[in-house]
Amino acid sequence: MKEIVLITGASGMIARELVKRIGNEYDIRLLTRKKERNNEYEWDIQKGTIDESSLENVSHIIHLAGANISEKRWTEERKKELISSRIDSAGLLLNALKKKNIRLKSFISASGINYYGTETTEKIFTEKDAAGNDFLSEVVVLWEKAAEKFKEQNIAERVVKIRTAVVLSEKDGALKKMIPPIKSYIGSPLGSGKQYMPWIHVEDICAIYEFALKNTAINGAYNAVSPQHATNTDLTKKIAEVLNKPLFMPNVPGFILKLMFGELATAILEGSRASSQKIQEAGFQFQFPDLKEALENLLNHEK
């Protein structure tokens, strides 16, 4: 009998790629707002409803649900949604498991590298460092506390929190947005361009989830970030180099981004480095530790 893995955030990029990676080895169930396939089960976070049959005999939950941080301006309503989509969804799972008296082998939760705060500094953050004090770090702290309840209330034998960097994929996310302007000769770094952009190849982030799933020694928080650090300028130049496109345009001024995105611009204009040492010392090996090689892998068909 294959172990059952329940994955939330089923429509997201990581969930889609992760299912391809582990789908043959595990019995995969997906929680989604609208059931379309046999292995999908419906839930509604706002209404607090969940198809409890999704939890029968489940061994592991990989919790990827959460509204996209950079999709919309951060109005007060949007801020509440960003928090609720992470915290209330975890609470819904926790209560349903308690009700059915189900104990998990592992609860593996997405988290964010913004745990350490959104600022450009020379410090390289490790998992031992304290949380920052801005909105994004507040979101991540609450997100991780919601995950920790599964261990505190004896619902999961272990809890893993994957502090995820910017995931590079040509299909979705930041990289997909950066490609068209560079191909159209209007790409340029954002703001000073000196802000660090912690990054990870989509295959490596999925491999980290698989690694956490299979290794019972993996517990607590881990930075899911490539060992090679890059600034916004580094990333922009490397994309242009791989696409064989020149960069003519000056940097996009920070004030324009603030006019366009409001408070969200802070997350674009500031960024720190984070260490991948802990996950590597646990035995994880990155397939794409080098930025240029990662981009070449993702963008070869874009040339």
Side-chain angles (χ1 to χ4, degrees):
M1 288 286 288
K2 293 179 181 178
E3 287 189 323
I4 297 170
V5 178
L6 178 65
I7 301 176
T8 72
S11 61
M13 166 178 58
I14 295 174
R16 294 194 305 267
E17 297 302 318
L18 184 59
V19 169
K20 293 177 192 174
R21 188 177 187 94
I22 66 172
N24 291 330
E25 210 169 333
Y26 294 91
D27 183 355
I28 305 294
R29 295 177 186 170
L30 301 168
L31 271 177
T32 180
R33 281 175 290 188
K34 189 175 180 182
K35 177 182 169 71
E36 292 180 354
R37 298 175 183 84
N38 285 337
N39 69 332
E40 293 182 343
Y41 299 79
E42 290 188 6
W43 69 338
D44 189 315
I45 297 162
Q46 289 183 322
K47 292 180 181 175
T49 59
I50 184 171
D51 182 347
E52 293 183 357
S53 64
S54 65
L55 303 173
E56 294 291 345
N57 301 312
V58 70
S59 296
H60 311 273
I61 292 180
I62 298 178
H63 184 41
L64 303 175
N68 189 318
I69 292 288
S70 59
E71 194 174 75
K72 301 176 184 177
R73 285 177 73 100
W74 291 350
T75 61
E76 288 307 309
E77 187 176 338
R78 180 61 175 173
K79 284 183 174 182
K80 289 175 184 173
E81 185 181 354
L82 292 173
I83 293 172
S84 170
S85 62
R86 290 159 171 79
I87 284 71
D88 294 346
S89 56
L92 182 55
L93 288 168
L94 182 71
N95 291 332
L97 290 164
K98 284 165 70 174
K99 179 182 173 184
K100 295 182 73 67
N101 199 26
I102 294 170
R103 190 161 189 255
L104 304 171
K105 290 184 178 179
S106 64
F107 183 80
I108 303 168
S109 177
S111 178
I113 209 70
N114 295 107
Y115 175 89
Y116 308 106
T118 308
E119 60 175 331
T120 304
T121 170
E122 286 308 300
K123 182 175 175 62
I124 300 175
F125 290 93
T126 75
E127 292 83 351
K128 293 179 181 178
D129 284 305
N133 56 9
D134 56 27
F135 171 67
L136 276 187
S137 57
E138 177 194 350
V139 171
V140 180
V141 167
L142 292 171
W143 200 356
E144 293 195 357
K145 282 182 178 177
E148 286 159 8
K149 287 181 181 178
F150 286 76
K151 185 75 178 289
E152 291 165 2
Q153 299 187 24
N154 204 32
I155 296 300
E157 291 175 23
R158 62 190 178 101
V159 167
V160 185
K161 298 160 288 185
I162 307 294
R163 291 178 180 165
T164 309
V166 174
V167 178
L168 297 186
S169 167
E170 79 284 17
K171 298 175 185 175
D172 209 344
L175 183 59
K176 185 182 178 183
K177 292 174 184 174
M178 293 175 79
I179 293 168
I182 290 173
K183 289 178 79 172
S184 302
Y185 304 100
I186 56 170
S188 64
L190 304 177
S192 71
K194 295 177 182 178
Q195 67 274 33
Y196 290 101
M197 283 191 69
W199 64 275
I200 187 168
H201 190 293
V202 64
E203 287 189 25
D204 278 330
I205 186 63
C206 291
I208 284 176
Y209 276 102
E210 181 182 17
F211 183 75
L213 183 65
K214 292 179 176 178
N215 289 271
T216 56
I218 300 299
N219 258 297
Y222 292 84
N223 293 336
V225 55
S226 168
Q228 187 184 79
H229 306 300
T231 63
N232 180 267
T233 295
D234 294 333
L235 178 59
T236 308
K237 284 183 175 179
K238 284 284 189 245
I239 296 169
E241 182 184 338
V242 171
L243 293 175
N244 294 319
K245 300 291 182 183
L247 289 175
F248 294 122
M249 304 297 287
N251 289 24
V252 179
F255 76 88
I256 289 179
L257 293 169
K258 288 174 183 175
L259 285 171
M260 291 172 63
F261 299 109
E263 190 182 345
L264 168 58
T266 308
I268 301 168
L269 294 168
E270 301 289 341
S272 300
R273 292 173 291 178
S275 169
S276 61
Q277 188 175 348
K278 184 181 177 184
I279 191 79
Q280 289 179 288
E281 287 179 348
F284 181 79
Q285 294 184 326
F286 285 86
Q287 186 178 349
F288 297 99
D290 179 80
L291 179 58
K292 187 178 179 185
E293 290 179 9
L295 291 170
E296 284 173 342
N297 172 263
L298 293 165
L299 300 180
N300 271 333
H301 65 283
E302 292 280 347
K303 294 179 182 178

